[in-house]
PDB file of all heavy atoms in Angstrom:
ATOM      1  N   LYS A 373      85.365  71.945 113.837  1.00  0.00           N
ATOM      2  CA  LYS A 373      86.493  72.819 113.941  1.00  0.00           C
ATOM      3  C   LYS A 373      87.751  72.053 114.351  1.00  0.00           C
ATOM      4  O   LYS A 373      88.883  72.429 113.896  1.00  0.00           O
ATOM      5  CB  LYS A 373      86.244  73.903 114.976  1.00  0.00           C
ATOM      6  CG  LYS A 373      85.655  75.089 114.365  1.00  0.00           C
ATOM      7  CD  LYS A 373      85.658  76.343 115.208  1.00  0.00           C
ATOM      8  CE  LYS A 373      85.148  77.599 114.402  1.00  0.00           C
ATOM      9  NZ  LYS A 373      84.516  78.606 115.319  1.00  0.00           N
ATOM     10  N   LYS A 374      87.618  70.963 115.050  1.00  0.00           N
ATOM     11  CA  LYS A 374      88.842  70.207 115.464  1.00  0.00           C
ATOM     12  C   LYS A 374      89.400  69.498 114.245  1.00  0.00           C
ATOM     13  O   LYS A 374      90.712  69.579 114.044  1.00  0.00           O
ATOM     14  CB  LYS A 374      88.489  69.162 116.491  1.00  0.00           C
ATOM     15  CG  LYS A 374      88.666  69.801 117.893  1.00  0.00           C
ATOM     16  CD  LYS A 374      88.686  68.815 118.981  1.00  0.00           C
ATOM     17  CE  LYS A 374      88.620  69.540 120.312  1.00  0.00           C
ATOM     18  NZ  LYS A 374      87.902  68.740 121.302  1.00  0.00           N
ATOM     19  N   SER A 375      88.644  68.923 113.344  1.00  0.00           N
ATOM     20  CA  SER A 375      89.222  68.289 112.176  1.00  0.00           C
ATOM     21  C   SER A 375      89.695  69.315 111.211  1.00  0.00           C
ATOM     22  O   SER A 375      90.812  69.110 110.588  1.00  0.00           O
ATOM     23  CB  SER A 375      88.218  67.328 111.499  1.00  0.00           C
ATOM     24  OG  SER A 375      86.912  67.881 111.540  1.00  0.00           O
ATOM     25  N   LEU A 376      89.045  70.446 111.156  1.00  0.00           N
ATOM     26  CA  LEU A 376      89.584  71.541 110.378  1.00  0.00           C
ATOM     27  C   LEU A 376      90.995  71.987 110.841  1.00  0.00           C
ATOM     28  O   LEU A 376      91.922  72.196 110.020  1.00  0.00           O
ATOM     29  CB  LEU A 376      88.611  72.743 110.378  1.00  0.00           C
ATOM     30  CG  LEU A 376      89.073  73.924 109.605  1.00  0.00           C
ATOM     31  CD1 LEU A 376      89.198  73.711 108.108  1.00  0.00           C
ATOM     32  CD2 LEU A 376      88.164  75.136 109.855  1.00  0.00           C
ATOM     33  N   PHE A 377      91.090  72.172 112.144  1.00  0.00           N
ATOM     34  CA  PHE A 377      92.287  72.564 112.671  1.00  0.00           C
ATOM     35  C   PHE A 377      93.448  71.552 112.349  1.00  0.00           C
ATOM     36  O   PHE A 377      94.530  71.927 112.003  1.00  0.00           O
ATOM     37  CB  PHE A 377      92.220  72.620 114.213  1.00  0.00           C
ATOM     38  CG  PHE A 377      93.430  72.783 114.967  1.00  0.00           C
ATOM     39  CD1 PHE A 377      94.052  74.003 115.051  1.00  0.00           C
ATOM     40  CD2 PHE A 377      94.014  71.742 115.622  1.00  0.00           C
ATOM     41  CE1 PHE A 377      95.248  74.204 115.728  1.00  0.00           C
ATOM     42  CE2 PHE A 377      95.179  71.925 116.367  1.00  0.00           C
ATOM     43  CZ  PHE A 377      95.800  73.098 116.422  1.00  0.00           C
ATOM     44  N   LEU A 378      93.045  70.247 112.379  1.00  0.00           N
ATOM     45  CA  LEU A 378      94.028  69.208 112.060  1.00  0.00           C
ATOM     46  C   LEU A 378      94.422  69.272 110.574  1.00  0.00           C
ATOM     47  O   LEU A 378      95.620  69.337 110.252  1.00  0.00           O
ATOM     48  CB  LEU A 378      93.406  67.865 112.272  1.00  0.00           C
ATOM     49  CG  LEU A 378      94.419  66.635 112.245  1.00  0.00           C
ATOM     50  CD1 LEU A 378      95.506  66.817 113.241  1.00  0.00           C
ATOM     51  CD2 LEU A 378      93.720  65.350 112.347  1.00  0.00           C
ATOM     52  N   PHE A 379      93.407  69.454 109.672  1.00  0.00           N
ATOM     53  CA  PHE A 379      93.728  69.592 108.235  1.00  0.00           C
ATOM     54  C   PHE A 379      94.682  70.822 107.998  1.00  0.00           C
ATOM     55  O   PHE A 379      95.693  70.794 107.270  1.00  0.00           O
ATOM     56  CB  PHE A 379      92.470  69.879 107.442  1.00  0.00           C
ATOM     57  CG  PHE A 379      91.734  68.665 107.091  1.00  0.00           C
ATOM     58  CD1 PHE A 379      90.317  68.623 107.170  1.00  0.00           C
ATOM     59  CD2 PHE A 379      92.348  67.446 106.661  1.00  0.00           C
ATOM     60  CE1 PHE A 379      89.638  67.395 106.853  1.00  0.00           C
ATOM     61  CE2 PHE A 379      91.680  66.296 106.319  1.00  0.00           C
ATOM     62  CZ  PHE A 379      90.278  66.335 106.424  1.00  0.00           C
ATOM     63  N   ASP A 380      94.314  71.911 108.624  1.00  0.00           N
ATOM     64  CA  ASP A 380      95.083  73.178 108.544  1.00  0.00           C
ATOM     65  C   ASP A 380      96.515  72.908 108.899  1.00  0.00           C
ATOM     66  O   ASP A 380      97.490  73.378 108.226  1.00  0.00           O
ATOM     67  CB  ASP A 380      94.449  74.296 109.429  1.00  0.00           C
ATOM     68  CG  ASP A 380      95.026  75.645 109.117  1.00  0.00           C
ATOM     69  OD1 ASP A 380      95.245  75.934 107.927  1.00  0.00           O
ATOM     70  OD2 ASP A 380      95.297  76.342 110.081  1.00  0.00           O
ATOM     71  N   THR A 381      96.694  72.150 109.997  1.00  0.00           N
ATOM     72  CA  THR A 381      98.062  71.901 110.539  1.00  0.00           C
ATOM     73  C   THR A 381      98.758  71.030 109.563  1.00  0.00           C
ATOM     74  O   THR A 381     100.017  71.162 109.311  1.00  0.00           O
ATOM     75  CB  THR A 381      97.962  71.296 111.909  1.00  0.00           C
ATOM     76  OG1 THR A 381      97.233  72.099 112.735  1.00  0.00           O
ATOM     77  CG2 THR A 381      99.331  71.067 112.471  1.00  0.00           C
ATOM     78  N   ILE A 382      98.130  70.018 108.968  1.00  0.00           N
ATOM     79  CA  ILE A 382      98.713  69.158 107.905  1.00  0.00           C
ATOM     80  C   ILE A 382      99.134  70.021 106.787  1.00  0.00           C
ATOM     81  O   ILE A 382     100.260  69.849 106.271  1.00  0.00           O
ATOM     82  CB  ILE A 382      97.727  68.063 107.486  1.00  0.00           C
ATOM     83  CG1 ILE A 382      97.527  67.084 108.656  1.00  0.00           C
ATOM     84  CG2 ILE A 382      98.269  67.320 106.235  1.00  0.00           C
ATOM     85  CD1 ILE A 382      96.403  66.017 108.369  1.00  0.00           C
ATOM     86  N   GLY A 383      98.228  70.883 106.358  1.00  0.00           N
ATOM     87  CA  GLY A 383      98.589  71.808 105.236  1.00  0.00           C
ATOM     88  C   GLY A 383      99.824  72.601 105.542  1.00  0.00           C
ATOM     89  O   GLY A 383     100.749  72.741 104.669  1.00  0.00           O
ATOM     90  N   LEU A 384      99.872  73.140 106.740  1.00  0.00           N
ATOM     91  CA  LEU A 384     101.005  73.940 107.137  1.00  0.00           C
ATOM     92  C   LEU A 384     102.333  73.088 107.003  1.00  0.00           C
ATOM     93  O   LEU A 384     103.305  73.500 106.465  1.00  0.00           O
ATOM     94  CB  LEU A 384     100.890  74.358 108.546  1.00  0.00           C
ATOM     95  CG  LEU A 384     101.842  75.350 109.165  1.00  0.00           C
ATOM     96  CD1 LEU A 384     101.678  76.607 108.515  1.00  0.00           C
ATOM     97  CD2 LEU A 384     101.688  75.461 110.674  1.00  0.00           C
ATOM     98  N   GLY A 385     102.239  71.830 107.516  1.00  0.00           N
ATOM     99  CA  GLY A 385     103.373  70.875 107.466  1.00  0.00           C
ATOM    100  C   GLY A 385     103.774  70.615 106.010  1.00  0.00           C
ATOM    101  O   GLY A 385     104.966  70.772 105.620  1.00  0.00           O
ATOM    102  N   VAL A 386     102.855  70.294 105.133  1.00  0.00           N
ATOM    103  CA  VAL A 386     103.137  69.868 103.850  1.00  0.00           C
ATOM    104  C   VAL A 386     103.709  70.972 103.038  1.00  0.00           C
ATOM    105  O   VAL A 386     104.613  70.873 102.235  1.00  0.00           O
ATOM    106  CB  VAL A 386     101.909  69.261 103.121  1.00  0.00           C
ATOM    107  CG1 VAL A 386     102.160  68.945 101.672  1.00  0.00           C
ATOM    108  CG2 VAL A 386     101.335  68.082 103.854  1.00  0.00           C
ATOM    109  N   PHE A 387     103.047  72.169 103.102  1.00  0.00           N
ATOM    110  CA  PHE A 387     103.428  73.303 102.297  1.00  0.00           C
ATOM    111  C   PHE A 387     104.806  73.797 102.738  1.00  0.00           C
ATOM    112  O   PHE A 387     105.631  74.302 101.898  1.00  0.00           O
ATOM    113  CB  PHE A 387     102.378  74.427 102.395  1.00  0.00           C
ATOM    114  CG  PHE A 387     101.117  74.169 101.589  1.00  0.00           C
ATOM    115  CD1 PHE A 387     100.010  74.884 101.636  1.00  0.00           C
ATOM    116  CD2 PHE A 387     101.204  73.079 100.642  1.00  0.00           C
ATOM    117  CE1 PHE A 387      98.899  74.702 100.804  1.00  0.00           C
ATOM    118  CE2 PHE A 387     100.005  72.756  99.891  1.00  0.00           C
ATOM    119  CZ  PHE A 387      98.898  73.631 100.006  1.00  0.00           C
ATOM    120  N   THR A 388     105.099  73.622 104.038  1.00  0.00           N
ATOM    121  CA  THR A 388     106.453  74.006 104.463  1.00  0.00           C
ATOM    122  C   THR A 388     107.474  73.054 103.736  1.00  0.00           C
ATOM    123  O   THR A 388     108.490  73.657 103.181  1.00  0.00           O
ATOM    124  CB  THR A 388     106.588  73.707 106.015  1.00  0.00           C
ATOM    125  OG1 THR A 388     105.631  74.549 106.702  1.00  0.00           O
ATOM    126  CG2 THR A 388     107.979  74.046 106.451  1.00  0.00           C
ATOM    127  N   ILE A 389     107.163  71.840 103.601  1.00  0.00           N
ATOM    128  CA  ILE A 389     108.092  70.923 102.930  1.00  0.00           C
ATOM    129  C   ILE A 389     108.281  71.277 101.425  1.00  0.00           C
ATOM    130  O   ILE A 389     109.404  71.284 100.967  1.00  0.00           O
ATOM    131  CB  ILE A 389     107.541  69.449 103.075  1.00  0.00           C
ATOM    132  CG1 ILE A 389     107.648  69.015 104.543  1.00  0.00           C
ATOM    133  CG2 ILE A 389     108.290  68.546 102.203  1.00  0.00           C
ATOM    134  CD1 ILE A 389     106.992  67.798 104.890  1.00  0.00           C
ATOM    135  N   THR A 390     107.173  71.577 100.762  1.00  0.00           N
ATOM    136  CA  THR A 390     107.377  71.865  99.379  1.00  0.00           C
ATOM    137  C   THR A 390     108.208  73.123  99.147  1.00  0.00           C
ATOM    138  O   THR A 390     108.908  73.203  98.213  1.00  0.00           O
ATOM    139  CB  THR A 390     105.963  72.074  98.660  1.00  0.00           C
ATOM    140  OG1 THR A 390     105.294  73.233  99.152  1.00  0.00           O
ATOM    141  CG2 THR A 390     105.048  70.886  98.802  1.00  0.00           C
ATOM    142  N   GLY A 391     108.006  74.078 100.082  1.00  0.00           N
ATOM    143  CA  GLY A 391     108.791  75.315 100.005  1.00  0.00           C
ATOM    144  C   GLY A 391     110.294  74.971 100.248  1.00  0.00           C
ATOM    145  O   GLY A 391     111.124  75.470  99.456  1.00  0.00           O
ATOM    146  N   VAL A 392     110.599  74.266 101.289  1.00  0.00           N
ATOM    147  CA  VAL A 392     112.083  73.939 101.545  1.00  0.00           C
ATOM    148  C   VAL A 392     112.653  73.163 100.359  1.00  0.00           C
ATOM    149  O   VAL A 392     113.734  73.534  99.922  1.00  0.00           O
ATOM    150  CB  VAL A 392     112.130  73.072 102.833  1.00  0.00           C
ATOM    151  CG1 VAL A 392     113.558  72.675 103.061  1.00  0.00           C
ATOM    152  CG2 VAL A 392     111.609  73.791 104.020  1.00  0.00           C
ATOM    153  N   GLU A 393     111.885  72.234  99.868  1.00  0.00           N
ATOM    154  CA  GLU A 393     112.387  71.409  98.793  1.00  0.00           C
ATOM    155  C   GLU A 393     112.625  72.266  97.482  1.00  0.00           C
ATOM    156  O   GLU A 393     113.643  72.041  96.804  1.00  0.00           O
ATOM    157  CB  GLU A 393     111.298  70.385  98.423  1.00  0.00           C
ATOM    158  CG  GLU A 393     111.867  69.047  98.075  1.00  0.00           C
ATOM    159  CD  GLU A 393     110.782  68.090  97.933  1.00  0.00           C
ATOM    160  OE1 GLU A 393     109.780  68.392  97.192  1.00  0.00           O
ATOM    161  OE2 GLU A 393     110.862  66.973  98.454  1.00  0.00           O
ATOM    162  N   THR A 394     111.753  73.211  97.199  1.00  0.00           N
ATOM    163  CA  THR A 394     111.926  74.143  96.123  1.00  0.00           C
ATOM    164  C   THR A 394     113.291  74.799  96.270  1.00  0.00           C
ATOM    165  O   THR A 394     114.047  75.038  95.289  1.00  0.00           O
ATOM    166  CB  THR A 394     110.833  75.127  95.941  1.00  0.00           C
ATOM    167  OG1 THR A 394     109.599  74.362  96.055  1.00  0.00           O
ATOM    168  CG2 THR A 394     110.861  75.861  94.618  1.00  0.00           C
ATOM    169  N   GLY A 395     113.552  75.342  97.437  1.00  0.00           N
ATOM    170  CA  GLY A 395     114.798  76.002  97.701  1.00  0.00           C
ATOM    171  C   GLY A 395     115.950  75.107  97.427  1.00  0.00           C
ATOM    172  O   GLY A 395     116.975  75.528  96.795  1.00  0.00           O
ATOM    173  N   ILE A 396     115.947  73.883  97.935  1.00  0.00           N
ATOM    174  CA  ILE A 396     117.084  72.976  97.782  1.00  0.00           C
ATOM    175  C   ILE A 396     117.209  72.633  96.237  1.00  0.00           C
ATOM    176  O   ILE A 396     118.388  72.722  95.747  1.00  0.00           O
ATOM    177  CB  ILE A 396     116.777  71.643  98.529  1.00  0.00           C
ATOM    178  CG1 ILE A 396     116.854  71.907 100.028  1.00  0.00           C
ATOM    179  CG2 ILE A 396     117.835  70.604  98.193  1.00  0.00           C
ATOM    180  CD1 ILE A 396     116.418  70.709 100.875  1.00  0.00           C
ATOM    181  N   GLN A 397     116.202  72.351  95.530  1.00  0.00           N
ATOM    182  CA  GLN A 397     116.262  72.105  94.118  1.00  0.00           C
ATOM    183  C   GLN A 397     116.829  73.260  93.311  1.00  0.00           C
ATOM    184  O   GLN A 397     117.415  73.056  92.301  1.00  0.00           O
ATOM    185  CB  GLN A 397     114.887  71.757  93.561  1.00  0.00           C
ATOM    186  CG  GLN A 397     114.538  70.275  93.814  1.00  0.00           C
ATOM    187  CD  GLN A 397     113.036  70.004  93.676  1.00  0.00           C
ATOM    188  OE1 GLN A 397     112.394  70.752  93.026  1.00  0.00           O
ATOM    189  NE2 GLN A 397     112.589  68.883  94.181  1.00  0.00           N
ATOM    190  N   ASN A 398     116.667  74.470  93.811  1.00  0.00           N
ATOM    191  CA  ASN A 398     117.180  75.635  93.110  1.00  0.00           C
ATOM    192  C   ASN A 398     118.516  76.102  93.601  1.00  0.00           C
ATOM    193  O   ASN A 398     118.953  77.214  93.390  1.00  0.00           O
ATOM    194  CB  ASN A 398     116.150  76.798  93.193  1.00  0.00           C
ATOM    195  CG  ASN A 398     114.956  76.639  92.287  1.00  0.00           C
ATOM    196  OD1 ASN A 398     114.977  77.007  91.141  1.00  0.00           O
ATOM    197  ND2 ASN A 398     113.953  75.874  92.722  1.00  0.00           N
ATOM    198  N   ASP A 399     119.199  75.218  94.471  1.00  0.00           N
ATOM    199  CA  ASP A 399     120.521  75.444  94.943  1.00  0.00           C
ATOM    200  C   ASP A 399     120.625  76.732  95.741  1.00  0.00           C
ATOM    201  O   ASP A 399     121.591  77.448  95.697  1.00  0.00           O
ATOM    202  CB  ASP A 399     121.498  75.610  93.751  1.00  0.00           C
ATOM    203  CG  ASP A 399     121.701  74.165  93.160  1.00  0.00           C
ATOM    204  OD1 ASP A 399     121.756  73.241  93.898  1.00  0.00           O
ATOM    205  OD2 ASP A 399     121.944  74.187  91.917  1.00  0.00           O
ATOM    206  N   LEU A 400     119.538  77.054  96.511  1.00  0.00           N
ATOM    207  CA  LEU A 400     119.587  78.264  97.364  1.00  0.00           C
ATOM    208  C   LEU A 400     120.124  77.822  98.645  1.00  0.00           C
ATOM    209  O   LEU A 400     120.193  76.660  99.057  1.00  0.00           O
ATOM    210  CB  LEU A 400     118.151  78.833  97.481  1.00  0.00           C
ATOM    211  CG  LEU A 400     117.503  79.322  96.247  1.00  0.00           C
ATOM    212  CD1 LEU A 400     116.086  79.648  96.452  1.00  0.00           C
ATOM    213  CD2 LEU A 400     118.281  80.506  95.584  1.00  0.00           C
TER     214      LEU A 400
END
Side-chain angles (χ1 to χ4, degrees):
Chain A
K373 270 193 177 156
K374 272 194 190 146
S375 38
L376 176 66
F377 171 76
L378 191 62
F379 278 139
D380 190 41
T381 305
I382 292 172
L384 189 68
V386 177
F387 283 172
T388 301
I389 291 169
T390 65
V392 177
E393 222 175 45
T394 311
I396 292 172
Q397 278 163 17
N398 284 270
D399 290 322
L400 298 172

